[in-house]
Amino acid sequence: MAIGEIIACTSAEDLFRKAEDLQERGIQTVFVARNTLKIVQINEK
């Protein structure tokens, strides 16, 4: 995964689950559009 990468999700539930999973791994995302996330920061753990 890289900063700026767009992640498309199938539903709002999938979107929230994916964002939470990535956050636990040190990857920060922002909501871009309907069911879409963008990686904005990657923290090394």
Side-chain angles (χ1 to χ4, degrees):
M1 296 196 155
I3 294 175
E5 183 176 339
I6 302 293
I7 301 168
C9 301
T10 56
S11 66
E13 184 178 316
D14 184 37
L15 176 94
F16 291 118
R17 186 179 305 124
K18 186 70 168 177
E20 186 177 65
D21 178 52
L22 291 171
Q23 185 175 16
E24 288 176 0
R25 293 175 27 202
I27 299 171
Q28 300 298 313
T29 60
V30 293
F31 175 76
V32 178
R34 184 176 179 197
N35 296 335
T36 307
L37 296 170
K38 180 178 180 181
I39 296 175
V40 293
Q41 184 177 355
I42 300 175
N43 299 320
E44 297 295 324
K45 280 196 166 187

